[in-house]
Amino acid sequence: PMYSSLYIGGLGLSPGYLNREDLTAERFVELLGFGGSTQPMILYKTGDRVRYRENGTLDFLGRLDNQIKLRGFRIELGEIEARLAQHPDIAQAVALVTNGENPQLVAYLTLTNEAIASEASQLGNELCQQLNTWVGQQLPTYMVPTGCKVIETFPLTPNGKVDRRALPPFEQSH
């Protein structure tokens, strides 16, 4: 399906990020001649992916990047995945937020050692506790996954990317 990046503008738009000229230059763009106006219009690139319906309404399709907002914090999932993948027992990591009433930041992991992977069901909880401590020393608390699930391999899309929608359901253990 065709989609577009969402830009917003108008009188209430901020002129940019405070003391962050680099981020302002990246996210705020100047548009000349919009609607026949001779004044430049400033637009903010939200990072959201949308598509128009035939009736003119927009469908929100998700983020262009893997940035999410959880409990008021903006989190770049790729940063969490990169940190997890630095652990010697982790081959690959995928971080995401669960759906439901109480969304949780969780991680799906594949392991480097096949022997450990075959015993993943027994070692999964222990490994997750070790990882939480390890990642907690490197990332802010709000970026530490509340749970993890060890799987053998990640499902892939036809393009070879991890198919996040095809990951097994995450059941939080209490």
Side-chain angles (χ1 to χ4, degrees), residues 13-173:
L13 185 66
S14 166
Y17 289 98
L18 181 63
N19 300 324
R20 293 291 311 267
E21 290 79 19
D22 58 332
L23 200 51
T24 298
E26 178 185 325
R27 293 294 195 137
F28 288 80
V29 297
E30 192 174 283
L31 184 63
L32 298 172
F34 184 77
S37 173
T38 57
Q39 296 295 322
M41 176 183 245
I42 304 297
L43 296 176
Y44 173 70
K45 183 179 181 181
T46 66
D48 295 324
R49 193 171 50 153
V50 295
R51 72 172 166 214
Y52 275 105
R53 289 183 166 191
E54 287 183 24
N55 66 4
T57 61
L58 291 175
D59 281 334
F60 174 75
L61 301 174
R63 299 278 307 164
L64 292 167
D65 54 17
N66 280 333
Q67 187 182 84
I68 54 105
K69 191 170 184 180
L70 183 65
R71 293 187 216 45
F73 294 102
R74 288 211 175 271
I75 300 171
E76 182 65 49
L77 295 176
E79 186 175 351
I80 297 167
E81 294 167 354
R83 293 288 179 173
L84 286 168
Q86 289 175 348
H87 190 278
D89 293 331
I90 306 302
Q92 191 176 6
V94 170
L96 55 83
V97 175
T98 60
N99 294 323
E101 286 182 32
N102 187 18
Q104 298 293 313
L105 178 62
V106 298
Y108 287 84
L109 311 167
T110 59
L111 304 179
T112 54
N113 184 331
E114 288 185 26
I116 292 175
S118 67
E119 300 172 18
S121 58
Q122 291 95 10
L123 297 175
N125 288 338
E126 183 182 321
L127 179 62
C128 288
Q129 290 171 352
Q130 291 173 5
L131 281 173
N132 274 0
T133 302
W134 185 78
V135 170
Q137 295 169 351
Q138 302 175 53
L139 294 173
T141 305
Y142 63 88
M143 292 178 73
V144 176
T146 57
C148 71
K149 184 178 191 99
V150 177
I151 59 178
E152 264 187 61
T153 60
F154 286 118
L156 301 177
T157 66
N159 296 337
K161 294 182 180 179
V162 174
D163 187 350
R164 293 170 180 267
R165 292 181 184 162
L167 288 166
F170 192 91
E171 289 110 23
Q172 184 73 33
S173 58

